[in-house]
Amino acid sequence: MNLGGCSARNGVAVVTTAIPQLAPEAWRLWIVTTCQTARARLLALPTAATAEGGRCVYAILGLDTRNELRIAATTFPAGHAAYPALTPDLPEAQLFERVVYEQHGIFPEGHPWLKPVRTQRDYPFFAVEGDAVHEVAVGPVHAGIIEPGHFRFQCHGEQVLHLEIALGYQHRGASALLRVATPARRAVVAESLAGDTVIGHSWAYAQAIEGLAGVAVAHHAQQLRALALELERLANHVGDLGALAADIGYLPAAAYFGRLRGEFLNLLMELTGNRYGRSLVYPGGVCHAFTAALRARCGTKLAEAERDLKAIADLFFAESTVVTRLEQTGVVAKKVARQLGLVGPAARASNLLRDVRTDYPSGAYRFHYIPPVRLASGDVYARALLRVLEAQQALTFAAEQCRIVHRVEPGAPCESLAADRLVVSLIEGWRGEIVHVVRTDAYGAIDAYDVVDPSFHNWMGLAWACRGGQISDFPLCNKSFNLSYAGHDL
Amino acid sequence: MWDTFKTRWQQGHRTQAFPPAQPLPERFRGRPTIDAGRCAAGCTACRDACPTEAITLAPLTFDLGRCTFCPACAEACPSGAIAWTPDYRLATRTREGLLLRDAALPLATALDRKMRALFGRSLKLRQVSAGGCNGCELELQALNNVVFDLSRFGIQFVASPRHADGLVITGPVTANMRLALQKTYEAVPDPKLVIAVGACAISGGPFLNSPACHNGATSTVPVDLFIPGCPPHPLTILDGLLRLLGRLESGRERNTA
């Protein structure tokens, strides 16, 4: 079957001129048919400036079962531009099209939900009308120590009919900075896209630059990156379990999971000098050596953590009141998850097998297969249990890396980037699929940089999960997704 | 029930003493030391390597308020004039105090007598993330876990600014959060404190001069305590808070290299 578009692989740059340029209608048709008939997914919809002052929009489609990406582009002239929206046929495109409209004024005709994404000016909230219907507004400043966002619940009695989440408060101009900043600054901004996903985003950034520079990274450096990425996954998964335990009032598990989370962060600090692994991954390699003493220390700490995780998870999931509270709360059915384009643990808990580590493996994941976990029920219970199962796998994987990684040599610098290239870099962060798309101009300078954090796909999933439940279910749904505001707002 | 007790027994006592008995790991990048005497004439390597424009020359000055504590400057320095120490004590009362020229850093001084009488034994804080990436927010949350156990010092995070004695601000203050930050500040009853946590909240950090941000908390509200880092270690935050409250003897805790 000829799928059309330009074929690409994760982290390998393609020549920009090899990407077919289609008329807007043909481009739209190609995206919709490829997604509907070949089970492709829309991974990103980045935009770049053209020499004539217009806008070129790339559609990056992923074929999960073929480890292949397909790219096609369309160009809109400067001034008023419009095309028939993708969203009516492809709901997963809804937020992408809103971003393109908000940033570049390219109007998606027939878009059913064309609301602001990263600005709060006159946000048109959906309102349910009728007797005994009331509205609850929360935020942007929330009660806990978390990032800001504004939530509106439309309720009928106890029942939540609709939840609308308006974000954008965290918009820091990160994508624009990544385009114009110096390489040193770019690395720090990439690490700060989402502060709980430092390794995920810095690796995605490094992989993109390595692809553009044509630099191959030493295998041991790739293994150390994978070890750090799994430690990040462990810290966050375990932390989320603790937060869930706290929200249902089961404090022993909350305290123990909270402490265990710190053990993984401290291990990352021993490895990198920073609890979140900042300054470890850079284009070309890793900053720190993996000494024999560190290997031994990592091995011991991981073995201890494995015992602790089992004991605490058994305590948590053996409690019938815990399980009852989690089961059938915040259900996202598989069909809905697919339509919304969910990624990461949220997708896998709704029975969708999506994992960059197995679908588009790069680095150490090309040699070490991690069998993906999926669960069928799509409720908070599934999203919680999935975290335990993934944490156990991550522990096994990390322990294995500790045994085999020996010396890590300083990597090759990525000084000059190839001209007229586009690279798509995918990493499975703990929250799901991270996408960085970078384009270079005729001089090898970066002229377009687009980031898709997994939260970008999953916020709508959280809104959906709350439907039909009670407001008191919201904290559980929220913790079970644990999405990034900064990663969404960029 | 038996399993509950067994797990409790296995988990043991995990709360860390403060100040900690053990130094932080060797690779931890706390307060840097700079020895300008070793600098070669005309060398600009560290300034050029710094991602956040935290280093100025003649005299060699590190702005720890901009510093993300990445190792770039020390790696770039050809004469080994820059070194990282595992000293986590970094908080200061003034923005100028974070300009590091030699080994001495003017650590945060205590509040005046009247404010200490009010807040010294019970301090309630409201956290506002104004564009923070969630790094500093997570470290503030970590203070509530059993290891750092902030509440043993009488310091707590509260849900409403009206219940608070002060604000803890993280993030570079995005244009979209500025109004919310102002309103939250106004909602805190007087007298009140403001604590800026992390490079973003102090100077903009990685987002310095981004058109979508305001280069930190001082753009919008007056700040009483600056806690640098990217993100600061929970011990750095704890140390800053306790110094502000006059709970650490400044004489004994002098910062020495």
Side-chain angles (χ1 to χ4, degrees), chain B residues 90-94 96-100 104-109 254-255:
Chain B
L90 295 162
T92 63
R93 290 295 302 281
T94 60
E96 295 71 39
L98 291 171
L99 300 176
L100 182 74
L105 194 69
L107 290 180
T109 52
R254 279 314 296 173
N255 191 357

Side-chain angles (χ1 to χ4, degrees), chain A residues 143-470:
Chain A
I145 308 176
I146 52 168
E147 299 173 69
H150 185 82
F151 297 25
R152 289 264 176 112
F153 296 87
Q154 307 289 328
C155 303
H156 182 256
E158 288 285 311
Q159 194 190 19
V160 176
L161 299 173
H162 174 73
L163 162 63
E164 190 154 2
I165 302 171
L167 300 175
Y169 296 92
Q170 298 283 74
H171 176 58
R172 299 160 293 171
S175 295
L177 269 180
L178 285 169
R179 194 172 66 244
V180 300
T182 61
R185 177 80 169 273
R186 219 178 255 142
V188 180
V189 172
E191 284 175 344
S192 309
L193 292 170
D196 43 34
T197 317
V198 171
I199 304 289
H201 274 293
S202 60
W203 192 354
Y205 160 72
Q207 185 170 268
I209 300 297
E210 285 151 9
L212 290 169
V215 167
V217 180
H219 186 54
H220 280 175
Q222 293 283 33
Q223 285 175 318
L224 195 63
R225 287 177 179 184
L227 170 62
L229 187 70
E230 296 306 319
L231 286 176
E232 182 171 274
R233 192 181 320 280
L234 280 162
N236 284 293
H237 277 9
V238 168
D240 286 349
L241 288 164
L244 269 174
D247 273 2
I248 56 180
Y250 189 46
L251 298 183
Y256 307 154
F257 277 132
R259 193 272 304 167
L260 187 57
R261 168 181 176 273
E263 301 288 346
F264 296 118
L265 296 180
N266 289 340
L267 205 52
L268 259 180
M269 179 165 74
E270 289 189 41
L271 216 61
T272 70
N274 181 287
R275 298 224 308 163
Y276 295 86
R278 282 174 185 264
S279 314
L280 173 71
V281 183
Y282 75 97
V286 285
C287 270
H288 296 285
F290 198 50
T291 60
L294 263 179
R295 280 177 62 199
R297 173 107 177 115
C298 262
T300 325
K301 292 299 271 182
L302 287 172
E304 268 175 34
E306 197 163 5
R307 279 195 302 276
D308 271 341
L309 177 68
K310 187 174 183 320
I312 305 167
D314 283 352
L315 183 76
F316 186 61
F317 285 101
E319 202 67 63
S320 63
T321 49
V322 168
V323 176
T324 315
R325 185 71 187 92
L326 303 181
E327 273 181 340
Q328 292 305 305
T329 302
V331 178
V332 181
K334 181 179 184 178
K335 189 178 164 212
V336 176
R338 174 171 286 133
Q339 284 185 335
L340 297 178
L342 299 193
V343 295
R348 295 194 284 276
S350 290
N351 212 359
L352 280 183
L353 212 51
R354 288 176 182 176
D355 190 326
V356 175
R357 292 173 295 173
T358 46
D359 297 339
Y360 308 95
S362 61
Y365 297 110
R366 287 165 61 206
F367 305 95
H368 302 271
Y369 178 71
I370 299 184
V373 187
R374 68 169 157 172
L375 297 169
S377 57
D379 50 8
V380 175
Y381 177 75
R383 289 189 286 274
L385 184 62
L386 191 102
R387 281 176 160 82
V388 176
L389 299 172
E390 289 199 355
Q392 283 168 343
Q393 280 189 337
L395 275 166
T396 313
F397 176 85
E400 191 181 312
Q401 300 304 305
C402 279
R403 279 194 295 276
I404 54 181
V405 183
H406 281 263
R407 285 184 58 221
V408 178
E409 311 264 331
C414 297
E415 272 158 2
S416 62
L417 308 183
D420 286 324
R421 295 289 196 282
L422 183 125
V423 69
V424 181
S425 170
L426 304 171
I427 292 290
E428 184 74 15
W430 65 273
R431 240 188 222 112
E433 177 183 281
I434 296 167
V435 188
H436 286 218
V437 185
V438 192
R439 193 183 84 162
T440 55
D441 63 10
Y443 304 97
I446 290 173
D447 72 346
Y449 203 118
D450 196 76
V451 176
V452 185
D453 186 83
S455 304
F456 187 84
H457 299 277
N458 286 3
W459 274 108
M460 196 54 113
L462 170 60
W464 190 272
C466 291
R467 280 203 176 176
Q470 303 186 345

Side-chain angles (χ1 to χ4, degrees), chain B residues 144-192:
Chain B
N144 286 330
N145 70 25
V146 292
V147 177
F148 300 107
D149 190 19
L150 184 68
S151 58
R152 72 185 138 150
F153 302 102
I155 308 172
Q156 274 166 337
F157 288 101
V158 293
S160 165
R162 299 202 190 280
H163 303 161
D165 304 315
L167 292 184
V168 176
I169 299 170
T170 55
V173 184
T174 56
N176 292 348
M177 260 310 278
R178 196 177 197 183
L179 179 65
L181 175 61
Q182 262 164 356
K183 285 185 172 178
T184 312
Y185 175 76
E186 283 157 18
V188 179
D190 281 317
K192 52 192 161 193

Side-chain angles (χ1 to χ4, degrees), chain B residues 46-62:
Chain B
C46 58
R47 186 194 67 187
D48 300 342
C50 180
T52 52
E53 302 167 39
I55 302 174
T56 46
L57 303 172
L60 180 61
T61 307
F62 274 43

Side-chain angles (χ1 to χ4, degrees), chain B residues 67-156:
Chain B
C67 181
T68 58
F69 295 75
C70 80
C73 54
E75 278 169 14
C77 179
S79 49
I82 302 161
W84 295 96
T85 71
D87 186 355
Y88 61 86
R89 299 167 305 169
L90 295 162
T92 63
R93 290 295 302 281
T94 60
R95 182 69 185 82
E96 295 71 39
L98 291 171
L99 300 176
L100 182 74
R101 291 211 176 79
D102 49 41
L105 194 69
L107 290 180
T109 52
L111 291 165
D112 64 36
R113 224 181 157 77
K114 192 176 148 226
M115 293 285 267
R116 269 160 70 184
L118 279 171
F119 302 137
R121 288 191 290 177
S122 163
L123 181 66
K124 310 285 175 199
L125 298 168
R126 168 66 256 198
Q127 202 271 332
V128 180
S129 169
C133 68
N134 207 21
C136 295
E137 290 81 352
L138 286 174
E139 292 301 53
L140 287 162
Q141 257 177 34
L143 285 174
N144 286 330
N145 70 25
V146 292
V147 177
F148 300 107
D149 190 19
L150 184 68
S151 58
R152 72 185 138 150
F153 302 102
I155 308 172
Q156 274 166 337

